[in-house]
Amino acid sequence: MRRLFARTLARPLVLAAAATAIPLGSAAPAAADSIVVGGFPVEVSDSPWTVALSSRDRFGGTRAGQFCGGVAVGRTTVLTAAHCLGEEVLGSPPEQVGDLKVIAGRTDLLSDQGQEIPVRSVWVNPGHDDSSNAGDFAVLTLSKALPAGSVIGMAAEGDPAYTPDTGALVYGWGDTSGAGDYANGLHAARVRVLPDASCERAYPGSDDGRYLSSTMLCAGEEAGGRDACQGDSGGPLVGQGRLIGLVSWGSGCGRPGSPGVYTRVSSILRTLGWDGTAADRRGGL
C-alpha cells in the first residue's frame, strides 16, 4: 500500500479527511512497542520547531484538528508537505479553509499548551508531481511570529547530514503502529539516512511513486520497524541538528525494504533560491 505521510489511504502520510482518524485496514502492523513507528515520546520543548497543522472544521476537535505536521524555518515561515494542502485532503483549496492554523509549543494535542496561530497565506509548490511525489513541499506564512528559539536551520546541498548511515530523528503526532493508533502526544523515532541506491531499489516506479534522488531522501532501517506513518506528513526529519527532510511518502509503515521517503530540503532551498538560514526575510512566493 502506498502512503503519503499525511497519508491519504494509498500514498502520502496525511490523516484521512474525517473528524476522527480512519484506521488503515490494509497496512501491515508494526512492532507492538512502536511509536511514530518504532519511537518514543518527546517534549516539544526539545524540538520547538516541530508544529502541527490544524483545521477543526475539516478534521474535528478530537485531536485539536491535527492532520499533518510542519516545521518552523523562520519566525513566520513554516514548511510542510504539498499533499497536505491538496483538495483531496482539505476538501477545498487551502485559501478557502477559514480555520487553517499552526499549533506550536504543544506536546499533547489535548492540552491548551502553546499557541494556535492562524495561517496568513499558503504557497504550494507548483512543481509538485503527485504521480512521482516529486517536489512535495509548501510554505505557510503565519499571522503572528513564533519565538526566536522556535526556528531550525536547513541543510544545504553538500551538508554532511545527508551522508548515508547518518543518524536522524523524525517527529510527529501520527499513527504509532501502522494500524490507526494515533498519538495525542508528540513522538520521535531514530532512523538512519539510507543510500540513494537502496531507495531506488525499493521504489523504482509504480502507482506508489518513484524515488528521485534529486528531490527526495529516504531514511529508516533496512529491517524496518522505525518510520513515519499516517498523520506525520510534512513533519521534520532532523540530522546533526539541521532540517534535512519533510515526511512525504512510502509503502506501509516500518516495513522491511520499504523505507520512508522525505522531501530533500536541499532541493527546496534550490527551488526557492534560499540558503539554510531563517526564511522570514524572503518574500515573493
Side-chain angles (χ1 to χ4, degrees):
M1 183 197 83
R2 177 183 185 177
R3 39 116 209 213
L4 288 178
F5 281 94
R7 312 180 188 194
T8 58
L9 290 185
R11 300 166 36 165
L13 301 181
V14 174
L15 285 182
T20 57
I22 298 176
L24 304 181
S26 61
D33 62 350
S34 61
I35 293 182
V36 170
V37 169
F40 52 91
V42 293
E43 291 294 324
V44 77
S45 57
D46 296 327
S47 57
W49 18 263
T50 304
V51 302
L53 272 57
S54 165
S55 169
R56 288 178 173 82
D57 286 350
R58 178 64 172 154
F59 296 94
T62 304
R63 301 173 68 252
Q66 187 271 343
F67 64 96
C68 270
V71 55
V73 296
R75 293 188 64 188
T76 59
T77 307
V78 166
L79 291 177
T80 189
H83 73 259
C84 286
L85 301 169
E87 289 193 40
E88 65 178 12
V89 173
L90 294 178
S92 62
E95 59 272 15
Q96 294 180 17
V97 181
D99 71 333
L100 182 61
K101 295 179 181 178
V102 161
I103 302 176
R106 181 175 299 174
T107 299
D108 187 338
L109 294 172
L110 303 183
S111 76
D112 58 1
Q113 180 185 17
Q115 53 186 328
E116 299 186 11
I117 303 174
V119 173
R120 189 177 72 200
S121 64
V122 175
W123 183 87
V124 178
N125 177 23
H128 174 226
D129 178 2
D130 61 6
S131 295
S132 66
N133 301 319
D136 188 16
F137 74 92
V139 183
L140 307 179
T141 301
L142 307 183
S143 62
K144 176 183 175 182
L146 295 164
S150 297
V151 174
I152 190 171
M154 295 169 278
E157 189 170 355
D159 192 294
Y162 293 110
T163 304
D165 211 38
T166 298
L169 286 166
V170 57
Y171 297 84
W173 287 269
D175 189 351
T176 63
S177 69
D181 300 316
Y182 290 88
N184 290 323
L186 179 63
H187 291 83
R190 292 187 177 93
V191 295
R192 292 183 303 119
V193 175
L194 298 176
D196 288 331
S198 297
C199 307
E200 289 163 353
R201 286 194 299 271
Y203 302 111
S206 69
D207 289 344
D208 285 348
R210 180 185 175 197
Y211 183 81
L212 301 170
S213 61
S214 60
T215 66
M216 300 174 190
L217 174 74
C218 76
E221 299 292 338
E222 297 284 1
R226 296 178 185 174
D227 199 358
C229 200
Q230 212 78 13
D232 291 326
S233 282
L237 177 70
V238 177
Q240 299 183 359
R242 296 176 293 284
L243 181 67
I244 61 174
L246 301 178
V247 177
S248 183
W249 67 284
S251 179
C253 301
R255 291 176 175 176
S258 298
V261 185
Y262 299 78
T263 303
R264 187 180 288 262
V265 166
S266 60
S267 74
I268 297 175
L269 297 177
R270 185 170 59 247
T271 298
L272 297 177
W274 292 359
D275 57 29
T277 58
D280 289 325
R281 65 178 180 273
R282 304 173 181 99
L285 294 178

